[in-house]
Amino acid sequence: MITEMFLFMNVVGLIAFAVVGSFKALREDLDLFGITVLGVLTALGGGITRDLLVNQVPYALKSYTDFSFALLGVWLAIVLYRIFKKDISSKFFILIPDAIGLSAFTTTGALIAYDAGVSFFGIIILATLTGIGGGMISDIFLGKIPNVLKDDFYASCAIIGATAFYIAVHSGVDLNVSAVICATVVLMIRILAILYNWRLPKFS
């Protein structure tokens, strides 16, 4: 049951991340190739980077399914853009699937980091990178400061969730239960951040 839940959340995340990345490209008036590159990078970039850091061939390069769902997200973004004639990536019905994706990807990153035997900081970095890396890469491709560094309570959700995972698993909690704790913490905090417009303080 837990496996099926995470598979579903992962699919939702791949599609949602690809939609968000594609809308970034649409805002910049990129062509179809540019839209596809940005959408796929946003969906898969974090996981690919994580796998390279733990010295693995990226799973996304070995599987047809991840790329297929990312391309589905690109297609969906184009359809939505044609229907609404504007960027709707900040709408609630996009933000919630995106939050589900952040939750699933962060948890996957934490599990892979734990399996790789890295330290507490390694788990936090790899889990967070899996959740936010694709979005950061797509922003950098567009020559922008990544949005997670300046304008949203987003990466913090992944950091808190990964910390909860580390505490749980090192307190003797079953690995699957620890994964559920991580996913739940990330999802709930991100939804609260959306509802209450949470932001980290700035010092300008």
Side-chain angles (χ1 to χ4, degrees):
M1 182 66 180
I2 292 175
T3 302
E4 287 78 5
M5 179 187 72
F6 276 116
L7 286 174
F8 172 75
M9 292 174 67
N10 190 65
V11 168
V12 171
L14 286 169
I15 295 172
F17 278 29
V19 167
V20 171
S22 298
F23 270 113
K24 290 181 184 180
L26 287 161
R27 285 200 301 268
E28 300 296 327
D29 198 31
L30 302 189
D31 62 14
L32 179 60
F33 178 72
I35 295 167
T36 303
V37 168
L38 263 290
V40 170
L41 270 179
T42 305
L44 304 179
I48 289 174
T49 306
R50 174 207 64 219
D51 288 344
L52 291 173
L53 287 174
V54 297
N55 201 30
Q56 293 181 5
V57 176
Y59 176 77
L61 302 184
K62 299 188 290 183
S63 167
Y64 289 104
T65 54
D66 283 6
F67 260 102
S68 298
F69 285 120
L71 291 173
L72 176 61
V74 173
W75 173 83
L76 180 60
I78 293 171
V79 170
L80 290 172
Y81 190 77
R82 295 294 295 271
I83 292 172
F84 292 96
K85 308 297 184 184
K86 62 180 181 179
D87 180 6
I88 59 167
S89 57
S90 61
K91 298 295 184 181
F92 201 70
F93 62 86
I94 300 294
L95 291 175
I96 294 304
D98 182 83
I100 292 172
L102 177 66
S103 171
F105 291 1
T106 300
T107 304
T108 300
L111 288 167
I112 290 174
Y114 177 77
D115 189 58
V118 299
S119 68
F120 165 72
F121 293 108
I123 289 175
I124 302 303
I125 290 168
L126 290 176
T128 304
L129 181 62
T130 307
I132 71 170
M136 292 184 68
I137 292 169
S138 62
D139 285 341
I140 292 169
F141 262 61
L142 293 173
K144 299 178 181 295
I145 296 173
N147 196 55
V148 296
L149 299 182
K150 64 185 179 72
D151 198 37
D152 209 352
F153 196 86
Y154 196 85
S156 303
C157 304
I159 293 170
I160 295 168
T163 302
F165 170 85
Y166 179 87
I167 292 172
V169 78
H170 282 84
S171 298
V173 177
D174 178 77
L175 189 61
N176 287 329
V177 176
S178 299
V180 172
I181 291 171
C182 177
T184 303
V185 168
V186 176
L187 182 59
M188 292 299 99
I189 294 177
R190 179 57 186 152
I191 290 175
L192 288 172
I194 293 168
L195 291 174
Y196 295 102
N197 197 31
W198 287 353
R199 295 286 188 274
L200 290 175
K202 294 184 178 180
F203 302 96
S204 56

